[in-house]
Amino acid sequence: MNSNDRSIVGLVTVAHAMVHTYELSIPVLIPIWLTEFSVIDVGFAQFPVNEATVGALVTVGFALFGLGALPSGVLVDRVDARVLITACLVGMGASFLLLAVSPTPAVIGLAMAVWGVAASVYHPSGLSLISRGVEQRGSAFAYHGMAGNVGIAVGPLLTILLLLAFDWRVVVAILAVPAALAALYAFRADIDERAAVAAADGGDGSTDGNSRAGGGVDSLGDFLSQSRHLFAGAFVVVFAVTLCSGLYYRGVLTFLPELLDNLEIAALAPVEFGGRTLQPSRYVYVGLLMVGVGGQFVAGKLTDRGRPEFGILAGFGALAVVAVLFLPAAALGLPALLVVSALLGFFLFFVQPFYQASVAEYTPAGTRGLSYGFTYLGVFGVGALGATLAGAMLTYFAPQQLFLALAGLAVVAAGLGTYLVTQAPSTAVGT
């Protein structure tokens, strides 16, 4: 990589890790909120604090994380990506400062909404910056994905360790500091955002707004026309897969720390520090997420060796089996719990590279940015309802019913993968 490539990769890897650090720290805080608060007062009504209402509360932020992907994707074709990434980092840091001083659950919901809006800017901006500015794109995307996985694993681990020494409000205030430092780094970054485009055009750097956008959306009519074209083909099936994946992902992870709290893990000893106790469930949860890094890596390698549709079929089929067996296996004791947790972590992230690669297979190149905007809308936006689903299931039913519902989502996704296996991407895309 040249110096510009390295500068861009440094920026996007830091920002990507930050986004997922904050995203996965939130489930660690939910059990604390369930015990600290008793009522959610929204002015015109009051609601009891339970899994259903807290799930709905955090769904607001998680939904905005995905819903903002489409407008952010349009915006990044008009504003420098570095500026948007800086704003994203500032916004995430500000949201956690607001969280630190939140006196009520309603303000916690507001803080989550601010986080969701700010975080939604990142993926369209970061991926666009790599595609336009980095000449060694393959390596850049690999490093970018690895950084996100590091944030997924390190975020909850850092939160858990800080909770051993500090109150949760102090912890979230401390977590705001890395975002501020990353924002300063992004603001001062010296990069050429169009270096790869300029090189492709012969090095003259003559790129206007339209060439920069690469056939992007210029009007509401253009947006509607391109969207209709996308969903007229097999992309609609890929999009449905992303919905199932997002619902399963958010549904299983949001309350998993609390679910693990309720399991007997007698063979693992709690960690005592400063008068506080780290329950074994917390490091089982972190370990599960770390295994997910391996799932991403293996799937990433496999996507270069065959059709990604087979990975969708196999991965979601495995997730259906894991969901059905998770609680029965956990009841057998620690070894079985660790095995089934590792399998859940592995396959939960294993499926992601396959449906991401399928988006490219089933969409025309000229609408690729819009396609990924819809992808993130499905995974993070609609998928955020998984938190509400999980909260409601745990409040009104039993954990086993939640896992059966998750298994049903995985079965649907595997069925959609089976359908895609029968399709030829070149003919399914259309013209």
Side-chain angles (χ1 to χ4, degrees), residues 298-348:
V298 172
K301 291 293 185 181
L302 291 176
T303 55
D304 292 330
R305 300 189 177 187
R307 291 181 61 187
E309 300 91 330
F310 288 101
I312 291 174
L313 169 59
F316 281 105
L319 282 175
V321 174
V322 170
V324 171
L325 296 180
F326 188 88
L327 291 178
L332 296 177
L334 179 62
L337 172 62
L338 294 180
V339 169
V340 76
S341 295
L343 289 173
L344 175 61
F346 183 89
F347 285 107
L348 188 63

Side-chain angles (χ1 to χ4, degrees), residues 10-345:
L11 172 58
V12 297
T13 52
V14 168
H16 196 203
M18 287 289 98
V19 168
H20 290 295
T21 291
Y22 294 121
E23 177 200 6
L24 270 299
S25 69
I26 294 168
V28 177
L29 299 169
I30 287 177
I32 299 174
W33 296 338
L34 286 170
T35 59
E36 179 161 332
F37 300 103
S38 59
V39 175
I40 300 176
D41 188 347
V42 293
F44 58 87
Q46 291 185 337
F47 304 93
V49 170
N50 53 38
E51 288 89 348
T53 54
V54 172
L57 201 66
V58 299
T59 293
V60 175
F62 287 144
L64 289 171
F65 182 28
L67 294 174
L70 276 178
S72 297
V74 174
L75 186 62
V76 76
D77 288 330
R78 306 291 186 270
V79 180
D80 284 350
R82 182 183 62 84
V83 173
L84 293 176
I85 291 173
T86 302
C88 164
L89 293 165
V90 170
M92 290 194 300
S95 72
F96 267 60
L97 287 178
L98 176 59
L99 187 61
V101 298
S102 298
T104 66
V107 181
I108 289 176
L110 176 61
M112 291 295 91
V114 173
W115 175 83
V117 171
S120 73
V121 174
Y122 175 70
H123 284 94
S125 302
L127 295 174
S128 176
L129 181 56
I130 292 174
S131 68
R132 291 201 302 251
V134 177
E135 296 182 21
Q136 299 293 325
R137 293 177 186 172
S139 296
F141 280 121
Y143 290 129
H144 179 265
M146 291 169 62
N149 290 337
V150 168
I152 285 170
V154 171
L157 176 61
L158 178 61
T159 304
I160 289 167
L161 294 177
L162 288 172
L163 285 170
L164 286 174
F166 304 104
D167 178 75
W168 72 269
R169 296 180 186 278
V170 177
V171 170
V172 295
I174 293 173
L175 289 175
V177 175
L181 295 177
L184 180 61
Y185 169 66
F187 178 75
R188 295 172 59 88
D190 183 14
I191 58 176
D192 182 353
E193 295 198 12
R194 304 178 186 86
V197 176
D201 289 342
D204 60 4
S206 58
T207 58
D208 59 19
N210 292 329
S211 63
R212 187 179 155 205
V217 174
D218 295 318
S219 65
L220 176 60
D222 194 17
F223 169 78
L224 295 175
S225 174
Q226 293 192 32
S227 298
R228 282 195 298 268
H229 180 71
L230 276 177
F231 284 94
F235 172 73
V236 68
V237 181
V238 180
F239 181 71
V241 170
T242 70
L243 299 183
C244 293
S245 180
L247 289 167
Y248 191 113
Y249 173 89
R250 196 66 70 196
V252 75
L253 288 184
T254 301
F255 290 97
L256 190 57
E258 185 195 4
L259 287 171
L260 291 172
D261 273 342
N262 296 327
L263 297 174
E264 293 293 334
I265 314 178
L268 292 178
V271 176
E272 301 285 346
F273 182 85
R276 295 175 182 267
T277 302
L278 173 61
Q279 296 298 328
S281 59
R282 294 298 190 267
Y283 44 92
V284 171
Y285 177 71
V286 171
L288 179 154
L289 295 175
M290 288 184 172
V291 171
V293 176
Q296 284 262 19
F297 177 80
V298 172
K301 291 293 185 181
L302 291 176
T303 55
D304 292 330
R305 300 189 177 187
R307 291 181 61 187
E309 300 91 330
F310 288 101
I312 291 174
L313 169 59
F316 281 105
L319 282 175
V321 174
V322 170
V324 171
L325 296 180
F326 188 88
L327 291 178
L332 296 177
L334 179 62
L337 172 62
L338 294 180
V339 169
V340 76
S341 295
L343 289 173
L344 175 61

